[in-house]
Amino acid sequence: MKYLVSACLAGERCRYDGNSNTINALQELVENGDAVSVCPEILGGLTIPRPRCELRINENGSTKIISENGTDFTEEFITGATLSLEIAKKNKITIAILKSKSPSCGCGMIYDGTFCGNLTTGNGITADLFIKSGITVFTEKEFDDSDKNNS
């Protein structure tokens, strides 16, 4: 079975600040050909480094991806999510392990759009699209927990 993994979890320095969130077991899955890594934000055309962004839910329920300086990056995030889904479908991916709290990849809890470190219930743009398309999404935190349960 192949997985899709957030590229930052597989050791790629593609976070907004140019760092990674490497998890050795996920990096090994990619290196062994058992997983495909993607960074939706890079696929959407964003640079490294880039402004920190958060998902903001407006009063009418619509969502926007806004940077700390107020720039709207919603279209880039949607493009990246769409391209990530195409990669997942092409590789017959049914399970994705994505970066928690991210405006792209977060699943279950994401930053609330205030840039104060507050979390709110919700999914990032890519995670939400994956779930709606039938792909099971876990975060690296759930992956770590399940890994511990299997040892």
Side-chain angles (χ1 to χ4, degrees):
M1 171 185 302
K2 258 193 176 170
Y3 301 93
L4 184 139
V5 175
S6 291
C8 64
L9 299 176
E12 292 184 40
R13 298 174 61 86
C14 58
R15 278 177 31 123
Y16 74 93
D17 59 4
N19 290 314
S20 71
N21 296 99
T22 307
I23 294 180
N24 292 334
L26 295 177
Q27 187 174 29
E28 288 175 23
L29 281 176
V30 172
E31 289 170 356
N32 294 336
D34 296 320
V36 174
S37 69
V38 300
C39 177
E41 295 171 25
I42 300 305
L43 289 172
L46 298 177
T47 61
I48 305 167
R50 58 188 168 275
R52 185 170 59 135
C53 292
E54 292 187 3
L55 191 146
R56 185 174 297 157
I57 301 172
N58 298 321
E59 290 178 13
N60 66 3
S62 67
T63 59
K64 295 258 184 222
I65 303 289
I66 305 295
S67 72
E68 284 180 286
N69 62 14
T71 304
D72 184 339
F73 286 104
T74 306
E75 287 306 313
E76 289 87 344
F77 276 71
I78 291 171
T79 297
T82 303
L83 293 172
S84 296
L85 180 61
E86 287 177 16
I87 291 167
K89 286 181 176 180
K90 177 182 170 196
N91 288 280
K92 298 180 172 68
I93 302 290
T94 58
I95 298 174
I97 305 164
L98 303 179
K99 177 67 185 105
S100 63
K101 305 175 192 171
S102 158
S104 288
C105 298
C107 184
M109 298 295 288
I110 55 172
Y111 290 110
D112 71 356
T114 63
F115 298 95
C116 295
N118 301 324
L119 295 172
T120 188
T121 302
N123 298 319
I125 300 290
T126 301
D128 197 55
L129 182 61
F130 280 13
I131 292 165
K132 288 177 179 171
S133 300
I135 297 172
T136 302
V137 175
F138 296 100
T139 68
E140 80 281 8
K141 298 194 183 314
E142 295 161 317
F143 174 80
D144 277 351
D145 287 345
S146 67
D147 194 42
K148 289 173 190 162
N149 292 335
N150 292 330
S151 50

